[in-house]
Amino acid sequence: MSSNSPNHVLIVGSVAFDTVQTPAGRVERALGGAAVYSSVAASFFCPVRMVGVVGDDFPAEHMDFLRSRKIDTRGIQVIPGGKTFHWAGSYEGDMNQANTHATELNVFESFSPELPEDYKTSEFVFLANIDPTLQLHVLDQVAKPKLTACDTMNLWISIKKDALLEVLKRVDVVFINDAEARQLTGEVNLTRAAASIHKLGPKYVVLKKGEHGAMMYCTDRMCFAAAPYPLDAVADPTGAGDSFAGGFMGYLASTGEVSDANIRKAVVYGSTMASYNVQDFSLNRFKKLTIQDIDARYEEFKRIVFFEGI
Ligand code: AMP
């Protein structure tokens, strides 16, 4: 994999301070947010254009880090006197479910994403976790993307379902975890849940199952399964889903090819990025990661699922 791609990924979502407690430790107001995890993951593959909002309490060192990853930050609004979004959560036991302790929207309360002119022709668009009405506002501004994708969370399924259904009608790919898929559809069985989400609009439904890997539903059936990567220790699952989506979108943009075969590879690159991210808190694992590490783990994924035919 090389990162000399001509295609950009446009990513909108939260930019956050995260306070996170897991059995492995705790961080206070560390760099986080769905757009940050997904943009940094995608940046290993292709150039990224980021859209979000922060307050003037957002440290220059975080902005410098994003720019050092060749992420275009012109789409991040800095609100004078504003406070950056803050999320606090914890994980216990198998760490498959986050317990939210605080969601301080702060500058998100009055945010309206406005895209710089040259962002509007981006071919690959990822609507990371954010209020679905804002996701729609971004979709309204992009010209003719080759591929659009979205993520969401339990909060928006509960309080903004109509807007979310509108987003689903308009995207090609949805990333959703098992609990959210059940909540959205009322189906306990995940195959049925995926089938009913597929009917809502997206051609590809990517079901993330935490430590159990990922499955993809397309056309009229479950069409691909990625094995979980066997990690012997998880430090912090925050941002796993966003890292997955960033790796998936970044890989596709780097090749420019949207085919079923390439989308399967994208699922494995997504799984690779998620598996690295959870090995440390905040963006710490990504700060040390190389493209060689990514390719090596991609090959490991291939090795562990290979089997001979009958
Ligand atoms: P994930 O673990 O991939 O589901 O996403 C974790 C990220 O989502 C954290 O870095 C949080 O800052 C962010 N987050 C939590 N709640 C919200 C919310 N209501 N809107 C947008 N982002 C959120």
Side-chain angles (χ1 to χ4, degrees), residues 135-149:
Q135 293 179 321
L136 285 172
H137 189 56
V138 168
L139 274 186
D140 287 341
Q141 293 172 69
V142 288
K144 251 183 172 266
K146 206 165 184 172
L147 191 86
T148 53

Side-chain angles (χ1 to χ4, degrees), residues 13-20 30-37 85-88 91 98 100 102-103 105 108 128-131 151-156 177 180 208 236-244 277 283:
S14 53
V15 180
F17 292 140
D18 285 347
T19 297
V20 178
L31 176 62
V36 172
Y37 281 108
F85 173 76
H86 175 226
W87 177 75
Y91 304 81
T100 292
T103 300
L105 291 176
F108 265 110
N129 184 17
I130 194 175
D131 182 331
D151 191 1
T152 192
M153 72 181 295
N154 51 6
L155 175 71
W156 310 122
N177 73 30
E180 293 157 357
K208 300 166 293 176
D236 173 15
T238 309
D242 313 311
S243 305
F244 183 105
N277 173 61
L283 278 295

